């Protein structure tokens, strides 16, 4: 079920949601949907807090439905800002509705912020993600000025007669005179027109390619976009390492006798201001009146004991 269909279903009487007074007529097209959601009543601040508390404390799905329905017009309004990307308006609304439902689920009425402000971030985030996944515009024009130049240049190119074709891409390209005309009409630098023309002439590139015929996982540009620091597994591993490096090591050291603890600390944990380590085997041997080999044996036994403690701690 699409997000638009889902939000429409939220308004219909159903056992899971309870009987809601916010009902939409059967919708045959997008214009009818937009017209219907724009007629839905808005909630007062008090009503919004009440429904949000009912959802938060009791999992009241009817309250969730009313919160979603009263903000559908917000999604329609936000989605209009992204029509220039060439994607279907219905799809943009659908993705925005997904973001709205995520916002409603996570909304905390005790924070003193209206849902409209909180949901705005989630709606835009979901639409942005949809655009990133579905259109190469993100690499053609990444700033507001570039997007404006992109659309104006594309429009003006349609009025020019093709004088030249790129030998590599077999696409029409602007002549030197046409570049000057575009730069003058759009009040931009000639170099900016050439750069955008080059980007527009480039072929599409799949960010996340499918595995090859041999079953090997293909490598795509999306790999450069990933931030491994925030990947859930990496976060958990980093947290575990931090615990072992602090509480785990401290607990393992406490399990040793004083002599073994000092030997391990001098040999493995101590770092002087000049970057050098702690005492050597011979220095420790001289201090305790034993051989360097004996100090090494004590160190090995202490490390084994610490390893067992760390394994149990982990």
């Amino acid at each position: 079920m699409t997000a638009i269909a889902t939000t429409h279903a939220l308004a219909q009487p159903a056992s899971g949601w309870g009987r809601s007074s916010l009902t939409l007529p059967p919708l045959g097209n997008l214009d009818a949907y937009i017209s219907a959601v724009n007629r839905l009543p808005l909630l007062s601040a008090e009503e919004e807090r009440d429904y949000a508390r009912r959802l938060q404390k009791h999992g009241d799905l009817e309250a969730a439905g009313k919160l979603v329905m009263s903000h559908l017009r917000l999604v329609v309004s936000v989605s209009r800002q992204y029509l220039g990307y060439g994607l279907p308006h219905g799809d943009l609304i659908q993705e925005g509705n997904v973001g709205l439902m995520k916002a409603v689920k996570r909304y905390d009425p005790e924070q003193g912020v209206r849902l409209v402000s909180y949901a705005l971030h989630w709606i835009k985030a979901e639409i942005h993600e949809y655009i990133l996944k579905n259109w190469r515009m993100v690499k053609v024009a990444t700033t507001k000025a570039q997007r404006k130049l992109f659309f104006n240049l594309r429009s003006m190119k349609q009025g020019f007669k093709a004088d030249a074709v790129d030998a590599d891409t077999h696409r029409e390209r602007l002549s030197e005179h046409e570049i000057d005309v575009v730069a003058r009409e759009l009040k931009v630098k000639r170099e900016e027109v050439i750069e955008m023309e080059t980007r527009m002439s480039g072929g599409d590139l799949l960010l996340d390619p499918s595995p090859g015929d041999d079953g090997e996982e293909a490598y795509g540009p999306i790999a450069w976009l990933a931030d491994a620091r925030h990947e859930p597994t990496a976060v958990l591993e980093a947290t575990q390492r931090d615990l072992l490096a602090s509480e785990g090591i401290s607990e393992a050291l406490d399990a040793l006798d004083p002599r073994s603890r000092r030997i391990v600390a001098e040999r493995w944990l101590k770092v002087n201001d000049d970057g050098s380590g702690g005492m050597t085997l011979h220095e420790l041997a001289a201090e305790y009146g034993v051989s360097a080999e004996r100090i090494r044996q004590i160190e090995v036994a202490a490390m084994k004991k610490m390893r067992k403690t760390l394994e149990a701690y982990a």
Side-chain angles (χ1 to χ4, degrees):
M1 180 181 290
T2 66
I4 289 180
T6 300
T7 50
H8 179 256
L10 295 182
Q12 307 307 318
S15 58
W17 288 86
R19 184 165 297 275
S20 172
S21 60
L22 298 177
T23 57
L24 294 176
L27 304 181
N29 55 54
L30 182 60
D31 290 337
Y33 171 84
I34 294 175
S35 176
V37 299
N38 283 334
R39 292 196 301 269
L40 293 173
L42 297 175
L43 298 177
S44 66
E46 185 177 351
E47 289 174 327
E48 184 178 288
R49 284 193 299 271
D50 178 60
Y51 288 134
R53 286 167 181 162
R54 284 166 51 184
L55 172 62
Q56 187 180 60
K57 297 179 180 179
H58 308 292
D60 190 331
L61 295 183
E62 183 179 5
K66 290 188 176 181
L67 289 172
V68 170
M69 298 296 289
S70 65
H71 289 80
L72 291 179
R73 68 178 68 195
L74 172 63
V75 175
V76 173
S77 176
V78 173
S79 67
R80 287 197 179 101
Q81 302 173 19
Y82 299 92
L83 291 177
Y85 287 91
L87 296 171
H89 192 193
D91 289 351
L92 294 173
I93 293 176
Q94 172 174 300
E95 298 302 320
N97 285 346
V98 172
L100 172 60
M101 287 186 281
K102 289 182 178 180
V104 167
K105 181 178 179 180
R106 295 165 173 81
Y107 178 58
D108 183 0
E110 309 306 330
Q111 294 295 324
V113 178
R114 289 297 299 269
L115 178 57
V116 63
S117 300
Y118 181 76
L120 199 59
H121 162 76
W122 287 93
I123 294 169
K124 288 184 176 181
E126 207 68 28
I127 293 177
H128 288 175
E129 183 178 355
Y130 171 71
I131 293 173
L132 285 170
K133 289 181 177 178
N134 289 276
W135 204 41
R136 69 186 182 94
M137 179 64 184
V138 292
K139 75 177 182 64
V140 175
T142 56
T143 67
K144 183 176 180 180
Q146 288 175 336
R147 289 197 297 269
K148 181 178 180 180
L149 175 58
F150 173 85
F151 288 113
N152 286 330
L153 179 58
R154 185 173 61 177
S155 176
M156 293 187 68
K157 281 187 66 175
Q158 295 175 353
F160 292 136
K161 181 178 180 181
D163 293 333
V165 176
D166 189 278
D168 295 324
T169 63
H170 304 288
R171 299 189 183 191
E172 299 175 1
R173 67 172 184 264
L174 296 176
S175 65
E176 294 298 318
H177 170 68
E178 289 170 343
I179 291 174
D180 292 332
V181 172
V182 172
R184 183 171 61 254
E185 291 292 328
L186 300 182
K187 296 181 174 58
V188 296
K189 296 180 180 178
R190 193 173 186 276
E191 292 77 12
E192 294 176 353
V193 177
I194 296 174
E195 180 183 0
M196 184 57 66
E197 167 70 5
T198 301
R199 293 187 183 187
M200 291 175 63
S201 299
D204 292 331
L205 183 62
L206 192 61
L207 288 178
D208 190 11
S210 302
D213 296 335
D214 56 0
E216 292 292 330
E217 186 171 330
Y219 180 84
I222 197 170
W224 295 98
L225 303 178
D227 187 354
R229 295 173 301 173
H230 301 293
E231 196 272 326
T233 302
V235 172
L236 290 175
E237 290 177 350
T239 301
Q240 186 66 20
R241 285 196 301 270
D242 292 341
L243 286 174
L244 289 176
S246 54
E247 299 177 16
I249 294 295
S250 177
E251 186 172 328
L253 286 172
D254 290 342
L256 302 176
D257 61 85
R259 182 175 64 173
S260 298
R261 184 163 56 249
R262 182 161 186 271
I263 290 174
V264 170
E266 288 289 341
R267 296 282 294 151
W268 293 92
L269 302 178
K270 187 174 181 180
V271 179
N272 297 319
D273 295 336
D274 59 0
S276 62
M279 300 173 67
T280 65
L281 290 175
H282 292 283
E283 290 172 340
L284 288 167
E287 178 177 327
Y288 287 105
V290 296
S291 66
E293 176 61 20
R294 178 56 183 155
I295 294 296
R296 189 192 67 79
Q297 292 174 354
I298 295 174
E299 177 186 352
V300 171
M303 295 297 287
K304 288 183 179 179
K305 187 173 183 179
M306 288 184 65
R307 190 173 296 112
K308 290 182 180 180
T309 303
L310 289 174
E311 289 175 355
Y313 185 87

